[in-house]
Amino acid sequence: MARKKIALIGSGMIGGTLAHLAAKKEMGDIVLFDIAEGMPQGKALDLSQCGPVEGFDAKITGSNDYADIAGADVVIVTAGVPRKPGMSRDDLLGINLKVMKAVGEGIKNNCPDAFVICITNPLDAMVWALREFSGLPHNKVVGMAGVLDSARFATFLAWEFDVSVKDVNAFVLGGHGDTMVPVTSYTTVNGIPVNDFAKIKGVDQGRIDEIVDRTRKGGGEIVGLLGNGSAYYAPATSAIAMAEAYLGDQKRILPCASYVEGKYGLDGLYVGVPTVIGAGGTEEVIEIELSDEEKSNLKVSTDAVEELLEACKGLDSSLA
Ligand code: LMR
C-alpha cells in the first residue's frame, strides 16, 4: 500500500510540531508548506534528522509551492497569524481570511480529495471560509478546536480533583471563542457525572464555575504567558488525533467544528459539536439533549460565529 501523504500548510510552531508528531507516528510522508522561503525546508531538514535517533521512517520535505501538496490525503492548515496578548481571536479575521483564500485555492487545485483540518483563527469562521474557497464537500473540511478545549477542561478538572487526566471525559460545545460552552452535564470522571464527583470530593459549584471560565479563556491564558505567539503542543496533538481518526477509519466521536445543517437548530454553520470521524470524513454530527440554560449558552456562542460569517461576507464578496 502506498504511504499516506500529509500536507501541513503553515510551518510555524504548530506546523513544526504537527510534522514531528506525524513523523513519530509514521502516519505517512510529510510536506511542510509555507510562503516564507527557507523556513519549511529548514524545518523539514531538521525534523528528518530526528528519524535515525527516534527510529521513525517518514520522508519530510519543505516547500513554497502548492504543487508539492498534490495528492495529499490529509491537509492540516495552520497558516495565518496568531493573536498577541490583549487581542481576541476575532481580531485576526481580516488578515487570516485572505490567507484562507490562497490556501483554499491551493487545496482545490492540488488535492481536492483530501481531508482538511483547519486550525487557523478565528476558527469557526476560518473553517467555513476555507470550505467555501476550496469548494470541497462539507464532510471533508473540519475545524480543530473542541478536542483542544475539552482537553483543557479535562486537565483543569483532573488537577482540581487530583485524579488522572485519563479518567476525565470532558465535553465542550460551540464556537472556539470566549463564549464556548463547556458542558458539565456531559462531563464525567470515569463515568461519574462531574457534578456528583465534585460533591464526593467536596468541590463546590463556585470552583467548577471558575474552571469552566478558565477553560473558556484557556487559549488567551497561554497567549498572555508566551508573550509572542499562541499554544502549539496541544493544538497540534489534537489535530493529529483527528487525522488519525480519518486515516484509520476509527469512527471516533470527537468534538470538532463541523458543518451543522438542521441539528441544534442550526442551518449551514461550522461550530463545535460531537462528530463521528472515519474514512468518510465527518460522518455524523451527534445531537445531544441540552438543558434550557445550555441551549441558551450555545445560542450566544453560535450567534457570535454567525456575526463573524457576516463580517467575512462583507470583506470578500465571493463569500456573500
Ligand atoms: C488556542 O486556543 O490555543 C488557539 O485558538 C490560539 C489562541 O489564540 O488562543
Side-chain angles (χ1 to χ4, degrees), residues 124-135:
D124 308 271
M126 291 304 99
V127 64
W128 172 83
L130 183 64
R131 207 301 311 170
E132 295 290 313
F133 290 134
S134 68

Side-chain angles (χ1 to χ4, degrees), residues 34-58:
D34 205 288
I35 53 167
E37 284 179 21
M39 215 242 281
Q41 292 85 353
K43 287 204 179 185
L45 197 53
D46 186 9
L47 285 162
S48 298
Q49 294 161 7
C50 295
V53 183
E54 295 181 7
F56 64 71
D57 191 358

Side-chain angles (χ1 to χ4, degrees), residues 231-262:
Y232 47 97
Y233 295 114
T237 206
S238 301
I240 289 289
M242 293 167 67
E244 285 182 302
Y246 170 72
L247 290 171
D249 191 21
Q250 291 173 350
K251 317 277 185 208
R252 289 201 63 194
I253 302 177
L254 296 171
C256 323
S258 296
Y259 188 69
V260 190
E261 209 171 20

Side-chain angles (χ1 to χ4, degrees), residues 82-83 89 92 119 121 148-149 152 176 218-220 222-223 230-231 235:
R83 59 176 158 155
R89 296 180 182 94
L92 305 171
I119 305 186
N121 276 319
L148 170 65
D149 297 327
R152 286 182 174 145
H176 181 55
I222 294 174
V223 169
S230 55

Side-chain angles (χ1 to χ4, degrees), residues 86-270:
M87 289 172 79
S88 94
R89 296 180 182 94
D90 299 354
D91 295 333
L92 305 171
L93 186 110
I95 183 156
N96 285 347
L97 184 64
K98 290 191 192 119
V99 178
M100 289 306 101
K101 188 163 196 164
V103 174
E105 279 161 14
I107 292 171
K108 175 164 69 182
N109 295 333
N110 294 287
C111 49
D113 296 325
F115 181 57
V116 179
I117 302 169
C118 179
I119 305 186
T120 302
N121 276 319
L123 189 270
D124 308 271
M126 291 304 99
V127 64
W128 172 83
L130 183 64
R131 207 301 311 170
E132 295 290 313
F133 290 134
S134 68
L136 267 60
H138 288 103
N139 61 310
K140 298 296 282 296
V141 182
V142 66
M144 186 299 296
V147 177
L148 170 65
D149 297 327
S150 303
R152 286 182 174 145
F153 193 23
T155 304
F156 299 146
L157 288 169
W159 287 348
E160 183 64 29
F161 297 140
D162 195 20
V163 298
S164 168
V165 285
K166 290 184 190 168
D167 289 328
V168 183
N169 202 335
F171 202 98
V172 179
L173 280 177
H176 181 55
D178 293 352
T179 58
M180 72 179 72
V181 190
V183 188
T184 47
S185 59
Y186 284 90
T187 296
T188 61
V189 181
N190 202 9
I192 305 165
V194 75
N195 290 330
D196 294 350
F197 198 74
K199 281 187 200 132
I200 293 167
K201 285 287 198 171
V203 174
D204 64 24
Q205 187 57 45
R207 183 66 192 127
I208 298 294
D209 292 345
E210 282 170 14
I211 291 171
V212 163
D213 191 53
R214 187 175 182 191
T215 302
R216 286 201 176 111
K217 297 176 182 152
E221 184 178 356
I222 294 174
V223 169
L225 287 167
L226 294 179
N228 183 18
S230 55
Y232 47 97
Y233 295 114
T237 206
S238 301
I240 289 289
M242 293 167 67
E244 285 182 302
Y246 170 72
L247 290 171
D249 191 21
Q250 291 173 350
K251 317 277 185 208
R252 289 201 63 194
I253 302 177
L254 296 171
C256 323
S258 296
Y259 188 69
V260 190
E261 209 171 20
K263 293 186 175 164
Y264 294 96
L266 297 173
D267 182 21
L269 204 64
Y270 270 93

